[in-house]
Amino acid sequence: MTKIGLEIHCQLTKLASKLFCSCKAEYRNLEPNSNICPVCAGLPGSLPLLNKKAVEKATMISLALGCTIPEKIGFFRKNYFYPDLPKNFQITQYNAYGPTSIGSDGKIEIEGKTIRIRRIQLEEDPGRLVYEGTSEKTMITLIDYNRAGTPLVEIVTEPDFETPKQVRVFLNVLADLVENIGVSDPYLEGAMRVDGNISEGDGNRVEIKNVGSFRDIEKALHFEITRQQSLVERGITVQAETRHWDEARRITVSARSKEEEQDYRYLPEADIPIVLIEHHSIEQIKMQMPESIVARRERYVKKYGLPPQVSDVLSSDKFYSDLFDKAHNEKNAKEVSNIITTDLMGFADTREKKLELKITPKHITDLADSIMTNKLTRNSGKTALQEMVKTGKSLADVISSLDLGHVSDVGSIEKIIDEVFKEEEKAVSEAKQNPDTINYLVGKVMKKTKGKADPTTTLGILRKKLSA
Amino acid sequence: MNLGISAVEFVSQAKEGVISVEEFVAKTLDRIKKVDEKIHAFITVDAQNALDKARTIDKKIKSKEKIGSCFGMPLSIKDNICTEGIKTTCASKMLENFVAPYDATVISRLKLEDAIIIGKANLDEFAMGSTTEFSYFGPTRNPWNLEYVPGGSSGGSGASVAAYECLASLGSDTGGSVRSPASFCSVVGLKPTYGLISRYGLVSYANSIEQVGPIAKTVEDVAFLLNIISGHDPHDNTTANNGYVDYVQDLKHGISGKKIGIISQMIGEGVDKEVASATNTAISKLQNLGAECIPISLDAIEHSVAAYYTIASAEASSNLARYDNLRYGFDFGIEGYEFKAFVSKARSNFGPEVTRRMLLGAFVLSAGYYGKYYLKAQKVRAMIKAQLDEAFKKVDYLISPTMPILPFKVGEKIDDPLKLYLTDINTITANLSGIPAISVPFSMSSSGLPIGIQLFANSFKEKELLQAAHVLQETSNLPEISL
């Protein structure tokens, strides 16, 4: 069995300032080393000042992921030498000497599977290294500290994933969640970064780092699973190691440095006093938090009787669930959920397409009502929806411009059936022998009416004519 | 013009126009020129700026403009406290050319009160040492006898005040670094409660225990400076927000009816005979003035030196990690080095004591040893604090000699770090527990070397501590320095 765990770094991009100083948290597109001060540049004598808003945002993430929030949180220094670290230590959180990180022992349901969250910690992002030059000999490394000190939340899961697909679904849900609760824009470049660890059966654990995007983590995991499985098949032991994802070659490559042997010499950060997380402030944050994905899913199942799978899909996407909540009423909830999860999500299967949709809740409400009152067939409904999301026109306009109105008067349908009978003599005689083939004729009628004929009426007339 | 006046006397004379600030500063600079070749209290002297500033203040005095309460008093500042535009070297090659782009909070507060920074005072490299011998720029010498050490690590601060090269100074005290030179140079030095004074701009050595502290000729001067530099700072999350206290007011309150605990562990074995006898004299004088003195045993102190060097070294190893010569430092070509090789080559330029402590610190924090050393040291720290809390239920003050021994000769103990570490035994208790302690010059040994007495009070009881220190100061009769 494959076991996959994740470490996700998520920047709190919705904050105005860095974690320990008043420089901007948004470092992108700035002149290199222009967004720095004595504190985030780690100058001698400078001291970190904790951004209390960051603690609030990290608390929100922890609550949303069902974590336990301790009464006090503390910070630690993780010591290692690297040019992107101005102080040669990172201020982070550490639970080895008692739980002092902002969250621990959480869980989240993903498609019926429970993913446990080991811990959530608040920490500072290092600066960025930019490599220039064409060969190893001419290579120079430039350092931009604009990012140094950006507030970051690290989310560590237990190895509860079994497939890369589960990982993808989880990451989509997580990205949505942090966006939902207003702590981060996960789609900004570098705002959300994922490392994975994988083991097969009782085999050794392999860490995968350097994965640039969400899409690549799924690919990297697939590659790594195949690699490990083929080693196991050949009776070769999988080495415990760190591997880097090589984006260009689409493979994982052994990282030669022995990162897991590094001793970080953790030390309590005395410059930041212990922070008390008071019960009433947690309650306040809870009140301000939007409905959680889990709560929303439950509401969909219990209140509207939506199937669990549909509720899952709907609740985990902020955009679609908001649309659902605004478009439905007591009677049409199921129809609205159908339209969104089967048709609309089919049109917009990527985030970019989703953002281009010109859809309003009224479109969906009108559409569901028309289908439920037999004014529109489901087929025509899909056509109308496609047009509405493209143009933003009202349902009425779309129906008239595309001539999608429902044909249900017996006379018109009879006329068309007569035409079909003339054109499809062979099928007609076959249908007389074998009533199961009648659907072919229904299809022909639908084609002629561009899907507008009422299927029940059509079937009734057809049956009558065939048995005549 | 008498350069030996106190800072408070200077203020009143300058205010009344009895002395010209420019003249006083110029005379002080002459004095530095004359004696500092021998003492070497200064790393940097900022003569021109000091004179310019003095002239401006004199003009303001004449035209009766509003002037800050320091009236241009010339101060020396330990060279690990950041001063905008003047080098802050920490007496290290690693920061040989470092000019901070900002003022430490204590500096900006002093400047706001029209103090003059006349120069930056020598110290043991990054404040690690008890003698000021471990400076990259060479040792400072004791103005009372140039063959002797001035104490440390704020040796430049202590010596510059004692030798009339400034009116007062700011040092920093991590394990006794303000009080040791105060004692050895016969001046007053205060280590305030952790959190009373902002550390913003103090270059960190052991950030959980150190504080900036004033060094001056009199207790009143120390109180005067404390009024300016103490108090909550939004740039330092570890400063307390206790509201304003006037330390000068009621300074002469006396100690009648107060209880003083004599720390048994600090006047017994290992204490120099003359130091012990001076301490006993001090105790009986305080008793005569109405204090009740009782012995107090703090047996956790037995482990304090070990705990102190574990914690301070651990923090040092992390605080000094940033000195990799990448962003600032000294001239050192980068050509031909891979990152790790470059960093280790650059960092080989730390002096021996700093190297020793960083290695010790890295060791006690490494995987598998943290619990054995660092956590254990933290337990000792908690134990000391608990015993002090108990003691302060019974007494108002504690008393001990500041240093267990008399000043010793330059070079005498430099090769025996353990012996040097043990000289800190009386001072580190205040750092590990966070409580305030002050060293008051009390007498001279038969060989003419200064002896200081140390008083402790409970956290944030500086006002009471200074009142007792003032009483003690008034009982002493000390000679003028001849230099």
Side-chain angles (χ1 to χ4, degrees):
Chain A
M1 195 181 75
T2 308
K3 280 190 279 184
I4 305 168
L6 300 177
E7 282 180 22
I8 302 115
H9 287 95
C10 173
Q11 290 177 341
L12 304 177
T13 63
K14 297 290 162 96
L15 287 170
S17 55
K18 290 184 178 180
L19 190 50
F20 300 117
C21 63
S22 54
C23 290
K24 288 195 278 288
E26 180 50 67
Y27 58 86
R28 293 166 185 86
N29 306 318
L30 295 172
E31 178 86 2
N33 296 310
S34 64
N35 184 38
I36 54 173
C37 71
V39 177
C40 60
L43 288 192
S46 66
L47 296 172
L49 296 169
L50 181 61
N51 180 343
K52 293 274 162 64
K53 285 256 159 61
V55 177
E56 247 171 60
K57 301 269 181 205
T59 307
M60 288 171 89
I61 295 181
S62 300
L63 287 172
L65 292 175
C67 286
T68 307
I69 317 271
E71 285 172 11
K72 318 172 198 185
I73 62 162
F75 289 84
F76 275 78
R77 292 179 180 181
K78 181 180 182 179
N79 296 288
Y80 62 99
F81 285 91
Y82 209 65
D84 62 5
L85 275 183
K87 307 181 290 290
N88 284 318
F89 61 77
Q90 180 194 27
I91 304 179
T92 178
Q93 297 192 292
Y94 189 56
N95 285 348
Y97 311 116
T100 54
S101 79
I102 187 68
S104 55
D105 300 324
K107 60 171 196 269
I108 184 168
E109 299 273 328
I110 299 296
E111 298 188 330
K113 188 164 174 51
T114 303
I115 305 300
R116 292 167 300 157
I117 308 293
R118 186 179 297 169
R119 68 166 184 276
I120 296 181
Q121 63 197 40
L122 188 55
E123 60 188 29
E124 56 178 343
D125 216 350
R128 290 173 72 233
L129 300 182
V130 182
Y131 300 97
E132 279 193 0
T134 46
S135 76
E136 229 165 85
K137 276 195 175 163
T138 61
M139 185 85 92
I140 51 168
T141 308
L142 301 171
I143 317 173
D144 177 7
Y145 289 110
N146 282 349
R147 189 178 74 177
T150 295
L152 204 60
V153 157
E154 186 182 81
I155 301 163
V156 183
T157 79
E158 297 290 344
D160 290 342
F161 300 95
E162 286 160 9
T163 65
K165 184 179 170 264
Q166 284 171 359
V167 168
R168 189 192 62 205
V169 174
F170 170 83
L171 290 175
N172 286 337
V173 169
L174 188 66
D176 244 50
L177 184 145
V178 296
E179 197 178 23
N180 231 339
I181 58 180
V183 300
S184 181
D185 181 351
Y187 302 100
L188 278 175
E189 188 269 319
M192 207 158 166
R193 313 184 299 256
V194 189
D195 295 336
N197 56 74
I198 310 180
S199 60
E200 282 295 331
D202 296 328
N204 282 319
R205 217 172 73 134
V206 174
E207 310 266 351
I208 301 181
K209 295 198 164 177
N210 202 31
V211 186
S213 72
F214 276 21
R215 230 169 289 162
D216 277 5
I217 188 80
E218 202 181 351
K219 287 178 190 142
L221 290 171
H222 267 303
F223 175 86
E224 186 56 25
I225 290 168
T226 313
R227 189 188 72 88
Q228 290 190 18
Q229 281 173 349
S230 83
L231 286 176
V232 172
E233 273 162 26
R234 284 179 286 159
I236 303 167
T237 311
V238 174
Q239 294 298 314
E241 62 176 342
T242 298
R243 296 178 71 83
H244 284 174
W245 172 241
D246 185 330
E247 213 177 317
R249 290 193 287 163
R250 312 218 141 282
I251 57 170
T252 63
V253 193
S254 182
R256 269 177 222 130
S257 70
K258 292 179 180 167
E259 285 177 48
E260 50 264 273
E261 282 177 26
Q262 189 142 15
D263 184 348
Y264 292 117
R265 295 175 286 114
Y266 283 96
L267 172 76
E269 173 52 279
D271 290 337
I272 304 167
I274 298 289
V275 180
L276 298 179
I277 308 284
E278 291 180 41
H279 184 70
H280 71 88
S281 66
I282 294 184
E283 290 306 312
Q284 223 162 10
I285 291 172
K286 270 188 192 164
M287 306 246 286
Q288 292 163 7
M289 270 185 36
E291 186 182 30
S292 76
I293 290 171
V294 176
R296 190 181 293 154
R297 177 183 177 276
E298 237 164 68
R299 177 162 62 85
Y300 291 168
V301 173
K302 282 195 182 140
K303 197 166 169 196
Y304 310 115
L306 302 188
Q309 311 87 279
V310 174
S311 304
D312 254 346
V313 175
L314 203 54
S315 61
S316 60
D317 187 304
K318 162 108 168 128
F319 177 80
Y320 291 122
S321 63
D322 280 355
L323 196 58
F324 171 80
D325 281 332
K326 283 177 193 151
H328 82 270
N329 54 42
E330 301 273 297
K331 287 179 197 158
N332 67 6
K334 270 195 185 164
E335 191 56 50
V336 168
S337 75
N338 265 338
I339 292 170
I340 295 175
T341 57
T342 55
D343 299 336
L344 189 59
M345 286 186 180
F347 298 150
D349 53 353
T350 65
R351 184 183 151 76
E352 289 71 32
K353 287 190 198 163
K354 192 165 90 180
L355 292 174
E356 281 168 13
L357 295 178
K358 290 188 173 162
I359 196 88
T360 66
K362 185 163 180 355
H363 285 138
I364 306 286
T365 313
D366 291 350
L367 189 58
D369 291 347
S370 299
I371 291 171
M372 286 172 75
T373 53
N374 277 330
K375 282 183 193 141
L376 213 56
T377 63
R378 188 153 277 138
N379 252 338
S380 305
K382 193 170 178 176
T383 313
L385 183 65
Q386 204 157 16
E387 187 64 13
M388 288 190 292
V389 301
K390 241 190 271 164
T391 61
K393 284 185 194 160
S394 74
L395 181 63
D397 285 356
V398 169
I399 287 175
S400 78
S401 70
L402 293 186
D403 190 19
L404 292 172
H406 209 166
V407 185
S408 54
D409 68 298
V410 179
S412 327
I413 296 177
E414 268 184 344
K415 232 165 136 189
I416 291 159
I417 290 178
D418 288 344
E419 277 173 38
V420 171
F421 270 41
K422 264 181 214 159
E423 286 161 20
E424 303 283 342
E425 275 176 41
K426 201 177 160 201
V428 172
S429 62
E430 207 172 297
K432 281 179 180 168
Q433 303 294 316
N434 181 4
D436 287 351
T437 62
I438 196 165
N439 280 343
Y440 177 77
L441 293 172
V442 176
K444 285 290 158 191
V445 175
M446 289 298 171
K447 202 175 174 191
K448 274 193 180 293
T449 61
K450 290 178 192 154
K452 293 189 296 177
D454 178 61
T456 323
T457 317
T458 308
L459 201 61
I461 300 171
L462 267 176
R463 282 211 178 107
K464 214 165 77 187
K465 286 199 182 250
L466 285 170
S467 59
Chain B
M1 184 172 283
N2 180 11
L3 293 177
I5 57 174
S6 77
V8 172
E9 277 165 350
F10 166 83
V11 168
S12 78
Q13 289 186 24
K15 207 187 268 179
E16 287 161 22
V18 178
I19 53 169
S20 122
V21 176
E22 187 187 352
E23 198 185 331
F24 193 91
V25 169
K27 283 266 158 63
T28 304
L29 287 166
D30 286 348
R31 171 85 178 167
I32 293 173
K33 219 174 245 169
K34 186 179 150 216
V35 302
D36 211 51
E37 249 175 44
K38 293 176 250 169
I39 298 169
H40 192 229
F42 286 90
I43 292 175
T44 306
V45 177
D46 194 22
Q48 198 51 53
N49 280 326
L51 285 171
D52 291 348
K53 182 92 203 276
R55 223 167 282 138
T56 321
I57 291 167
D58 275 335
K59 268 186 205 150
K60 279 191 189 175
I61 294 173
K62 270 199 190 123
S63 60
K64 305 215 155 119
E65 274 178 67
K66 197 169 184 285
I67 301 169
S69 62
C70 289
F71 281 84
M73 108 187 11
L75 302 176
S76 74
I77 302 293
K78 190 178 184 179
D79 209 17
N80 63 346
I81 297 173
C82 290
T83 44
E84 191 181 345
I86 311 175
K87 274 192 236 173
T88 299
T89 68
C90 291
S92 177
K93 182 173 181 181
M94 301 302 291
L95 289 177
E96 201 177 355
N97 300 312
F98 177 69
V99 179
Y102 67 101
D103 274 329
T105 297
V106 289
I107 299 301
S108 51
R109 288 184 180 179
L110 284 169
K111 282 184 177 172
L112 207 65
E113 292 297 336
D114 284 323
I116 289 177
I117 313 295
I118 201 160
K120 300 296 290 284
N122 200 10
L123 65 152
D124 288 294
E125 185 177 7
F126 284 100
M128 296 182 201
S130 316
T131 60
T132 321
E133 290 168 288
F134 292 113
S135 165
Y136 171 65
F137 303 102
T140 296
R141 290 175 181 266
N142 193 317
W144 292 92
N145 186 330
L146 296 172
E147 280 178 41
Y148 286 74
V149 299
S153 65
S154 314
S157 291
S160 62
V161 174
Y164 305 161
E165 294 175 278
C166 59
L167 279 171
S169 185
L170 291 188
S172 69
D173 192 314
T174 311
S177 286
V178 158
R179 291 159 289 157
S180 150
S183 176
F184 279 8
C185 296
S186 200
V187 290
V188 184
L190 172 73
K191 195 294 282 187
T193 308
Y194 187 80
L196 184 75
I197 296 183
S198 170
R199 288 183 295 113
Y200 184 71
L202 167 67
V203 179
S204 288
Y205 147 32
N207 52 315
S208 83
I209 52 180
E210 64 204 1
Q211 279 284 288
V212 169
I215 294 178
K217 293 193 194 94
T218 69
V219 174
E220 196 182 10
D221 286 356
V222 165
F224 174 84
L225 288 171
L226 198 59
N227 273 357
I228 296 169
I229 62 173
S230 65
H232 178 251
D233 177 17
H235 289 293
D236 179 355
N237 276 345
T238 65
T239 50
N241 206 342
N242 293 344
Y244 181 75
V245 177
D246 186 340
Y247 299 99
V248 175
Q249 202 186 12
D250 300 327
L251 187 66
K252 291 164 188 158
H253 183 270
I255 48 156
S256 173
K258 299 283 184 186
K259 276 192 176 175
I260 302 175
I262 305 155
I263 305 174
S264 316
Q265 283 79 3
M266 294 186 187
I267 57 162
E269 211 182 316
V271 181
D272 177 275
K273 267 187 198 153
E274 287 193 74
V275 172
S277 129
T279 310
N280 287 326
T281 310
I283 291 165
S284 58
K285 284 192 170 175
L286 290 170
Q287 274 172 326
N288 291 341
L289 288 162
E292 185 191 338
C293 296
I294 57 167
I296 288 275
S297 176
L298 302 169
D299 56 24
I301 283 174
E302 254 181 73
H303 310 290
S304 63
V305 174
Y308 168 78
Y309 278 96
T310 302
I311 292 167
S313 302
E315 292 179 5
S317 77
S318 174
N319 285 321
L320 273 64
R322 71 190 65 187
Y323 307 114
D324 54 19
N325 223 37
L326 242 61
R327 292 158 294 270
Y328 44 81
F330 56 98
D331 290 339
F332 181 63
I334 59 160
E335 293 303 317
Y337 289 107
E338 161 277 327
F339 174 68
K340 286 219 159 115
F342 168 78
V343 168
S344 69
K345 182 85 182 158
R347 285 172 64 80
S348 67
N349 287 284
F350 281 115
E353 187 55 32
V354 171
T355 304
R356 186 153 41 231
R357 292 192 198 185
M358 287 192 307
L359 287 174
L360 178 62
F363 173 74
V364 299
L365 288 178
S366 55
Y369 291 101
Y370 185 90
K372 203 170 166 186
Y373 297 108
Y374 185 79
L375 280 184
K376 219 177 205 174
Q378 292 290 7
K379 277 182 194 159
V380 170
R381 192 173 173 181
M383 237 165 81
I384 291 174
K385 183 76 177 70
Q387 292 191 357
L388 282 168
D389 286 344
E390 269 314 300
F392 283 121
K393 282 180 192 165
K394 295 182 207 141
V395 299
D396 303 291
Y397 306 106
L398 292 167
I399 191 167
S400 78
T402 309
M403 302 299 287
I405 52 170
L406 293 170
F408 42 92
K409 284 190 173 160
V410 175
E412 194 182 316
K413 293 186 198 289
I414 199 162
D415 296 324
D416 195 340
L418 208 58
K419 252 191 200 154
L420 266 181
Y421 294 174
L422 285 171
T423 64
D424 296 338
I425 181 125
N426 291 359
T427 47
I428 54 186
T429 299
N431 304 88
L432 287 174
S433 61
I435 64 169
I438 191 165
S439 177
V440 181
F442 185 73
S443 64
M444 288 285 169
S445 73
S446 53
S447 52
L449 293 167
I451 298 172
I453 299 295
Q454 179 174 231
L455 287 164
F456 303 83
N458 210 346
S459 293
F460 299 107
K461 297 278 186 197
E462 272 80 0
K463 192 170 169 93
E464 291 78 358
L465 182 63
L466 290 166
Q467 287 168 350
H470 182 76
V471 171
L472 187 61
Q473 172 186 271
E474 296 301 293
T475 65
S476 63
N477 184 17
L478 294 162
E480 279 281 313
I481 197 157
S482 59
L483 193 78

